[in-house]
Amino acid sequence: MKRVLVPAALSAALLATSALAHHGWSEYDADKPLTLSGTIAESGYLQPHGFVRLKTADKTWLVVLAPPGRMENRGLPKARLAAGGNATVVGYPHRSKPDELRAERITIQDQTTELR
């Protein structure tokens, strides 16, 4: 019985932690799609979502991407998000953070990756 309960309890604890760390997409305004182009200043291939800091002509945006596994599966490896590269993203702005965007797709070197 102990062999079943310990792994089950551990799994439940990990699942609860992941759920608390994840946020909902209602924080982003899907009625105001934006297209941004610029230079990648920084990137992260992290859980629960990757990100790039995209330097555009007027400001630097925090662009929230998909989870790393999804990006890999869709042909966007970490190396393609290298600082100094150019990117275009289409997505939705955060309702209360004026410099944050949730990306639906990203284009780097003429290759577009659907993120959602």
Side-chain angles (χ1 to χ4, degrees):
M1 182 71 150
K2 222 179 194 182
R3 289 182 192 172
V4 174
L5 290 178
V6 172
L10 181 58
S11 294
L14 290 173
L15 184 60
T17 302
S18 295
L20 288 173
H22 194 270
H23 54 83
W25 293 122
S26 64
E27 299 168 340
Y28 298 90
D29 192 345
D31 293 330
K32 297 180 181 176
L34 295 176
T35 300
L36 305 174
S37 293
T39 303
I40 298 172
E42 177 187 4
S43 68
Y45 219 68
L46 310 169
Q47 293 291 350
H49 302 282
F51 75 90
V52 295
R53 293 207 186 273
L54 189 67
K55 186 174 182 171
T56 65
D58 55 339
K59 65 181 170 182
T60 300
W61 290 80
L62 171 60
V63 179
V64 179
L65 303 173
R70 184 180 309 156
M71 291 190 288
E72 283 283 340
N73 289 339
R74 294 185 181 176
L76 183 61
K78 181 179 182 178
R80 302 234 11 238
L81 298 175
N86 293 319
T88 299
V89 294
V90 177
Y92 306 113
H94 196 282
R95 293 179 190 277
S96 62
K97 298 176 185 174
D99 299 336
E100 185 172 318
L101 182 89
R102 180 193 98 193
E104 288 292 314
R105 71 189 56 82
I106 186 168
T107 302
I108 299 174
Q109 299 171 346
D110 296 326
Q111 180 180 343
T112 300
T113 303
E114 294 294 327
L115 300 173
R116 303 286 158 226

